[in-house]
Amino acid sequence: MILTPIQTLTIVIVVALSSVITRFLPFIIFKTSNKSNSFITYLGKVLPYAAIGMLVVYCLKNVNITVPSYGIPEAIAILCIVVLHYWKENTLLSIGVGTAIYMILL
Amino acid sequence: MNKIRALKAAFPYTIPVFTGFTFLGIAYGILMSSKGYGVIWTLLMSLFVFAGSSQYVAITFLTSAFNPLNAFLMSLVINARHIFYGISLLDKYKDMGKIKPYLIFGLCDETFSIICSSEPPEGVSKKWFAFFITLLDHMYWVLGSVLGSLIGYMIPSSIEGLDFVLTALFVIIFVGHWKSKGNRKPAAIGVISSVISLLIFGPDNFIIPSMIAIIAVLTLGRKKLDPERIVEI
């Protein structure tokens, strides 16, 4: 644990809050008004795809291609995951094999 | 009796979720343990957040300098997809009575897809059918992660490379999105905006700028990106 218990609890609360806000928001704002063509509806549709793109980058943010290991373990593992996932479409298999390959390469 | 019948009808639909949530939950619990966060923290997270991606990302906020604002904004963006789920279920969840708040709280990706694609068999209450699907999925996630947390106590601390589960998970979701052509533009906007922000602001400060960039590009490009508007053309 790096954070103090109070700091940890704060993180738990803000993350829980964000989850609750996004889940309840549509039921609160679209009670009566016209739900189609709203900006929020649009964001709910496209933001998830952009968010996952951002998260992939976020996970790799500390990879430095100018110092050993040059990000090679990450690149190989991700390539394997992509190929495996296109081929088998099995989430658990792709995550398991991908992570195992990465741990071996490290 | 009514409830037992609904539980029996709901259970088979949740079996695939059982496998997935147990596996991802165990991995989550092990990861939390390996960072020094024991079973209580894992339980709190899984019970009250109940959103896999943001819980996984939250680990990175638990293992770096205390920054609740970043943690909040980041999970808000990750959880934005819930807005779409809610909108899709406005009608279906209209007359759910007392259990409605729980149904909304428990609306994760998997529960959403079951609720959308299935109807309760004849004679089974719609309300309790939805309730048990939500509850069972929620419990699988909680039990899986608690189990993982307990397993985590038994294996040596800090297994090198296990964090890669998180990367693998998002790469897989990304591949899934990429397979469908319509999703590629927003997915690419997410990657490109983040890479540019990362290069400019560095690994510790790029999240907020990249979220601003993403929302700005999506807003400005709405005419070209909005699925509903494209249909009209």
Side-chain angles (χ1 to χ4, degrees):
Chain A
M1 268 175 89
I2 288 180
L3 305 182
T4 67
I6 297 293
Q7 289 177 330
T8 308
L9 191 65
T10 311
I11 298 286
V12 175
I13 290 171
V14 298
V15 175
L17 204 63
S18 82
S19 171
V20 167
I21 289 172
T22 51
R23 283 172 177 158
F24 280 86
L25 190 68
F27 291 93
I28 295 165
I29 59 173
F30 294 127
K31 239 174 198 162
T32 47
S33 63
N34 178 18
K35 64 183 178 187
S36 66
N37 211 17
S38 132
F39 183 63
I40 295 287
T41 315
Y42 165 66
L43 275 191
K45 267 180 207 158
V46 288
L47 203 50
Y49 304 115
I52 293 297
M54 180 183 79
L55 287 175
V56 172
V57 178
Y58 178 75
C59 290
L60 300 168
K61 69 180 169 142
N62 290 316
V63 174
N64 191 335
I65 52 168
T66 58
V67 294
S69 55
Y70 310 104
I72 293 169
E74 284 83 3
I76 294 174
I78 288 175
L79 194 69
C80 293
I81 293 170
V82 171
V83 172
L84 195 61
H85 203 63
Y86 256 95
W87 178 38
K88 289 281 186 190
E89 276 193 57
N90 183 327
T91 305
L92 304 187
L93 184 76
S94 307
I95 293 181
V97 172
T99 308
I101 290 175
Y102 180 75
M103 289 166 88
I104 294 164
L105 290 173
L106 211 61
Chain B
M1 194 58 218
N2 199 356
K3 288 176 197 171
I4 294 170
R5 215 185 308 155
L7 175 62
K8 277 184 184 163
F11 176 66
Y13 289 96
T14 66
I15 292 171
V17 184
F18 174 74
T19 352
F21 273 20
T22 309
F23 177 88
L24 283 174
I26 288 176
Y28 174 72
I30 293 177
L31 211 52
M32 283 286 278
S33 273
S34 77
K35 305 292 181 195
Y37 291 94
V39 69
I40 298 292
W41 293 118
T42 300
L43 179 67
L44 279 179
M45 277 281 193
S46 292
L47 206 55
F48 293 111
V49 179
F50 187 38
S53 310
S54 59
Q55 278 182 242
Y56 268 99
V57 171
I59 297 177
T60 67
F61 287 102
L62 292 174
T63 52
S64 53
F66 182 56
N67 193 339
L69 180 68
N70 265 9
F72 177 68
L73 293 175
M74 183 85 162
S75 26
L76 211 55
V77 169
I78 299 170
N79 288 327
R81 65 187 190 287
H82 296 145
I83 296 172
F84 174 70
Y85 298 163
I87 291 165
S88 313
L89 291 177
L90 282 173
D91 287 334
K92 215 164 185 172
Y93 278 3
K94 214 163 44 190
D95 305 309
M96 290 298 186
K98 267 187 195 163
I99 57 166
K100 188 172 169 181
Y102 177 68
L103 293 181
I104 297 172
F105 167 77
L107 201 53
C108 63
D109 309 54
E110 286 74 6
T111 299
F112 170 73
S113 68
I114 298 175
I115 301 273
C116 274
S117 59
S118 61
E119 284 292 331
E122 216 163 305
V124 173
S125 143
K126 258 187 181 170
K127 202 166 119 179
W128 292 105
F129 181 72
F131 174 78
F132 282 113
I133 286 174
T134 311
L135 182 71
L136 285 169
D137 287 354
H138 192 183
M139 289 307 112
Y140 299 154
W141 177 245
V142 170
L143 293 176
S145 54
V146 166
L147 187 63
S149 179
L150 297 174
I151 295 171
Y153 285 128
M154 286 178 260
I155 49 179
S157 59
S158 93
I159 319 141
E160 221 192 338
L162 190 67
D163 302 37
F164 201 74
V165 171
L166 179 63
T167 316
L169 176 70
F170 293 132
V171 169
I172 284 163
I173 301 173
F174 188 83
V175 169
H177 288 169
W178 197 260
K179 279 183 177 169
S180 153
K181 260 191 176 169
N183 308 332
R184 285 184 189 169
K185 275 181 195 162
I189 289 169
V191 173
I192 295 166
S193 309
S194 309
V195 169
I196 294 173
S197 305
L198 178 61
L199 293 176
I200 298 173
F201 298 97
D204 297 327
N205 298 311
F206 84 105
I207 280 303
I208 291 182
S210 59
M211 288 191 291
I212 293 171
I214 287 169
I215 291 177
V217 176
L218 289 176
T219 307
L220 294 172
R222 184 174 175 188
K223 272 188 188 158
K224 284 188 179 171
L225 291 165
D226 198 339
E228 274 180 19
R229 293 196 178 182
I230 288 169
V231 171
E232 284 167 20
I233 301 165

